[in-house]
Amino acid sequence: MKKAILFSGLLTVTISVYAEQGSHWGYSGDVGPKNWAALSADNFACSGKNQSPINLTGFIEAELDPIKFDYTPGAHEIINNGHTIQLNYQKGSSIEVDGQTFNLLQVHFHAPSENHINGQSYPLEAHFVHANGDGDLAVVAVMYQQGIPNQGLKIELDKTQGKTIRATASPNKTLKQIWSVMPTEIGGKYELTEMINLAAILPKNKDHYRFSGSLTTPPCSEGVRWLVMKDVVTVSRKQIEDFSSVLHEPNNRPLQVINSRLVLE
Ligand SMILES: [Zn+2]
């Protein structure tokens, strides 16, 4: 496994990452979410009226067209930017929404989840970030929950035939592949020898909720199409713990006020 260690001191690395991102921000203390808008003039949108994440509730029935997924094995690089673990995509994977093509740029993770569904938080959420030709963004969000512990639990399916199945929390295979090369130090970057198709960490059923929101990190730009998958994907407890231990602190922005927005389903 190849890791890029650019500087010897953690502080130096941290500064280099912040410099890359334009402003110094984090998830706690003086640079935490409450102060994002004040940290830089570029972050004015962080105090806007259409911010993410939200608690998705009070759904409005709508005829939402299915999202057309066209994903290929295109994740070629994994980075630890100090805020999340992110897989960068090469061109060639996209979704079709509103009759427009949005190219998949990158996929990253938050623990615990940023969005809530009907008041429920999940231990892990992935964001699939896409952009169309005009630079408009569409984010597909997927929730992950911990499976049932794989010890000592049996569910009896059919007593007459004496059949039982064991409910297990086997790790998600693709997530296992990703986590095995997760750079543990800030600024770490790893070029994947074999590109990954992240369609494997989407739920099979692509029914979704939809609302208009923003980036959940500075500069919090609005006008983002949020497409939140209704079905939740099961992962193992260790997979959730492994991610959290690399990030050292929760990387979820608190819930934002929904204001006049509608959540469609
Ligand atoms: Zn995100």
Side-chain angles (χ1 to χ4, degrees):
M1 176 169 156
K2 182 178 65 179
K3 286 179 179 173
I5 300 170
L6 301 173
F7 302 93
S8 57
L10 180 65
L11 186 64
T12 318
V13 173
T14 305
I15 288 166
S16 81
V17 169
Y18 289 140
E20 220 172 79
Q21 308 234 335
S23 74
H24 176 127
W25 62 271
Y27 286 99
S28 57
D30 291 345
V31 295
K34 277 186 184 151
N35 293 329
W36 284 354
L39 289 174
S40 159
D42 295 337
N43 298 350
F44 67 92
C46 297
S47 58
K49 294 259 186 291
N50 298 302
Q51 290 289 291
S52 291
I54 61 164
N55 174 31
L56 283 76
T57 191
F59 306 109
I60 305 294
E61 292 271 352
E63 298 271 323
L64 291 180
D65 286 334
I67 305 165
K68 285 183 198 154
F69 284 86
D70 183 8
Y71 283 3
T72 57
H76 67 94
E77 179 182 72
I78 184 165
I79 63 171
N80 176 340
N81 63 18
H83 304 301
T84 189
I85 298 295
Q86 180 174 312
L87 289 126
N88 291 327
Y89 248 75
Q90 68 170 23
K91 277 186 182 170
S93 293
S94 61
I95 54 170
E96 197 181 307
V97 179
D98 301 333
Q100 299 173 45
T101 301
F102 290 77
N103 292 305
L104 180 57
L105 306 177
Q106 49 102 338
V107 180
H108 63 267
F109 299 86
H110 299 269
S113 71
E114 297 206 293
N115 292 295
H116 292 194
I117 300 176
N118 270 327
Q120 193 180 349
S121 158
Y122 292 85
L124 185 69
E125 177 175 351
H127 289 160
F128 293 68
V129 182
H130 308 76
N132 68 9
D134 296 331
D136 298 330
L137 299 177
V139 179
V140 170
V142 180
M143 301 295 172
Y144 301 89
Q145 69 185 356
Q146 187 189 312
I148 303 161
N150 63 357
Q151 283 169 352
L153 189 93
K154 283 183 179 177
I155 298 169
E156 228 167 279
L157 272 187
D158 184 339
K159 281 182 182 172
T160 58
Q161 294 181 28
K163 284 182 186 169
T164 59
I165 62 152
R166 190 181 286 271
T168 63
S170 51
N172 179 290
K173 278 182 191 167
T174 302
L175 207 58
K176 191 176 177 182
Q177 198 183 350
I178 299 166
W179 271 202
S180 72
V181 291
M182 189 158 46
T184 51
E185 76 285 356
I186 295 171
K189 187 189 279 192
Y190 178 63
E191 197 66 30
L192 301 173
T193 48
E194 190 184 338
M195 284 191 280
I196 299 174
N197 189 342
L198 292 179
I201 60 168
L202 292 168
K204 283 195 182 76
N205 183 337
K206 306 294 193 295
D207 288 350
H208 60 281
Y209 305 108
R210 178 172 178 160
F211 70 96
S212 177
S214 73
L215 297 178
T216 65
T217 56
C220 312
S221 316
E222 296 188 340
V224 178
R225 291 165 167 86
W226 277 88
L227 307 156
V228 179
M229 293 287 123
K230 289 185 180 180
D231 271 18
V232 175
V233 175
T234 298
V235 297
S236 71
R237 183 169 75 183
K238 187 170 187 308
Q239 290 186 313
I240 294 163
E241 289 171 353
D242 286 353
F243 179 82
S244 301
S245 70
V246 165
L247 265 287
H248 302 299
E249 68 171 351
N251 67 337
N252 63 311
R253 185 188 193 191
L255 291 173
Q256 304 295 301
V257 181
I258 197 162
N259 294 315
S260 56
R261 288 175 286 174
L262 303 175
V263 183
L264 306 180
E265 74 166 334

